[in-house]
Amino acid sequence: GAPLDVLKLNQTTTFDSSQLKPNDVLIKLLASPINPADINMVEGKYAILPSSLPATFGNEGVFQVVDHRASNEQLSPGDWVIPKMLEWGKWRSHGIVSINDLIKIPSDITVEAAATLSVNPCTAYRLLKDFVTLETGDTVIQNGGNSSVGQAVIQLGKLWNINVINIIRNRDQGMKELVEYLKSIGAEHIYLEEDLRKETLRTTLWSTIPRPKLGLNCVGGKATSDLLRVLDKSATLVTYGGMSKQPVTVPTAEFIFRDLTCRGFWMSRWKAENYKGSEFAKMLHELIDFIRRGHLKPPQCEKYSLADYKTAIEQAQKPFNTKKVLFTS
């Protein structure tokens, strides 16, 4: 249902070290973001839903070890960890988790970077790695360029010497500040959705950089059609979101005569298929190294306590909000 109608704060459940069994870890929340998928899950409009209610929501977050019953070589109190499990809600102050369901991460990055690490940067990483072999000087175009995934794509593209064209929605307020912010994290090509339909863009931009061999779509509807029309021959479009709640519309002529490929990507499915192996942890640690070296910055964040969840949920659902809302303990 509507998040503010159905979400409640549960203050009756408590956790302490006496409840720990072998290999259990008692953890406490450092920070957990509110992502669009979280809101969709609460509404009952997502592909993954709780098997029963009541349930705890929240798809990602970073926690600190309080106590454990694993070997001291594996963990120590104070260590930072990220829970792997999709079905284990992260909007909680404490929890008890098996050590096998945790990934230990370094604590020398900011809490904001750690809390927002396992969904959006990972999505951007997989989008740029898994669908097209991108080489230095190749071009990627994305709508939702100001989204958290979009910001990560900008920064990874700059790091890997890939041209990234960023399409954003027009807005009455804050446009100048948004453009300046995107430029500050590495964006060089920023356009409005309506610019894609202008001949001047098509004639000037492609004289300086190649046409995109990869398109990234998180909007759907007409915005998808506009992306497809500017892709190179035999290019690939990957849809990973649908913020407009409109169908992906593929222009017939472009699809046939330019041999385009349309794919879908869902980070939750990738995690479900890979979390038991080392690939997920390997990706996290590579992204952490980028963060350490200043190549990957987290989105701008606003913090709220779990007790202030109503205000946090309201803020997270505001249109054109470019800051990530975090729950903290």
Side-chain angles (χ1 to χ4, degrees):
L4 292 179
D5 293 338
V6 299
L7 288 173
K8 307 295 179 185
L9 183 65
N10 174 18
Q11 295 179 293
T12 61
T13 304
T14 59
F15 296 96
D16 60 52
S17 298
S18 66
Q19 298 167 275
L20 295 177
K21 300 174 183 178
N23 289 320
D24 278 352
V25 184
L26 174 62
I27 57 178
K28 68 175 181 179
L29 177 69
L30 293 176
S32 176
I34 302 175
N35 290 319
D38 297 318
I39 299 297
N40 293 152
M41 289 181 71
V42 174
E43 293 171 333
K45 299 177 180 178
Y46 201 62
I48 293 179
L49 296 175
S51 57
S52 62
L53 295 173
T56 303
F57 290 86
N59 281 312
E60 71 171 331
V62 61
F63 291 75
Q64 188 174 46
V65 174
V66 177
D67 198 359
H68 66 86
R69 295 295 179 268
S71 67
N72 292 329
E73 291 77 18
Q74 293 174 288
L75 281 178
S76 299
D79 286 346
W80 287 14
V81 291
I82 290 177
K84 300 178 187 177
M85 313 88 70
L86 297 174
E87 69 278 5
W88 192 80
K90 317 303 187 296
W91 296 348
R92 63 175 77 216
S93 64
H94 293 79
I96 294 177
V97 186
S98 167
I99 191 172
N100 298 320
D101 291 323
L102 295 171
I103 296 176
K104 179 181 173 181
I105 67 168
S107 58
D108 59 352
I109 61 175
T110 66
V111 168
E112 293 85 353
T116 58
L117 176 65
S118 66
V119 173
N120 294 311
C122 291
T123 299
Y125 185 101
R126 302 258 60 99
L127 290 172
L128 293 175
K129 288 286 190 180
D130 291 353
F131 295 92
V132 171
T133 301
L134 294 169
E135 300 174 351
T136 298
D138 282 342
T139 302
V140 173
I141 187 169
Q142 63 170 347
N143 53 33
N146 59 296
S147 68
S148 296
V149 172
Q151 292 178 40
V153 167
I154 289 170
Q155 296 174 83
L156 293 177
K158 182 179 180 181
L159 177 62
W160 294 331
N161 296 309
I162 299 165
N163 301 304
V164 179
I165 304 170
N166 303 284
I167 310 302
I168 61 176
R169 290 182 296 168
N170 203 352
R171 58 202 69 204
D172 295 331
Q173 297 180 338
M175 177 59 77
K176 181 180 178 181
E177 293 79 6
L178 174 59
V179 170
E180 288 177 353
Y181 172 70
L182 294 179
K183 287 182 177 180
S184 75
I185 62 172
E188 296 184 20
H189 307 282
I190 305 171
Y191 297 96
L192 301 177
E193 288 181 336
E194 49 266 36
D195 290 334
L196 282 178
R197 298 186 284 275
K198 296 179 181 178
E199 190 62 32
T200 52
L201 172 64
R202 302 179 186 182
T203 56
T204 57
L205 187 58
W206 311 136
S207 63
T208 59
I209 60 175
R211 279 184 175 269
K213 62 195 300 185
L214 177 65
L216 306 177
N217 167 50
C218 67
V219 179
K222 187 171 179 57
T224 315
S225 304
D226 293 335
L227 281 190
L228 284 160
R229 289 192 175 97
V230 300
L231 294 180
D232 200 3
K233 291 181 179 179
S234 302
T236 296
L237 177 87
V238 183
T239 294
Y240 67 95
M243 291 190 297
S244 71
K245 298 183 180 178
Q246 298 296 316
V248 172
T249 306
V250 181
T252 303
E254 307 293 340
F255 194 48
I256 295 175
F257 300 130
R258 305 227 330 273
D259 189 28
L260 301 180
T261 298
C262 294
R263 299 280 303 276
F265 178 74
W266 186 26
M267 191 66 213
S268 295
R269 180 175 57 214
W270 188 95
K271 281 186 182 179
E273 294 172 351
N274 293 276
Y275 86 97
K276 291 184 179 180
S278 62
E279 191 67 20
F280 184 30
K282 179 182 176 183
M283 175 174 58
L284 288 180
H285 285 282
E286 185 174 354
L287 291 169
I288 287 169
D289 185 54
F290 296 158
I291 293 169
R292 281 195 186 118
R293 292 191 280 147
H295 298 313
L296 183 61
K297 297 178 181 179
Q300 296 171 307
C301 296
E302 296 176 292
K303 298 178 182 179
Y304 295 85
S305 68
L306 288 167
D308 201 15
Y309 73 94
K310 290 185 178 180
T311 304
I313 293 292
E314 286 178 340
Q315 185 63 25
Q317 293 184 94
K318 286 184 178 180
F320 300 110
N321 181 26
T322 57
K323 293 185 177 180
K324 183 67 70 176
V325 176
L326 300 182
F327 282 125
T328 59
S329 57

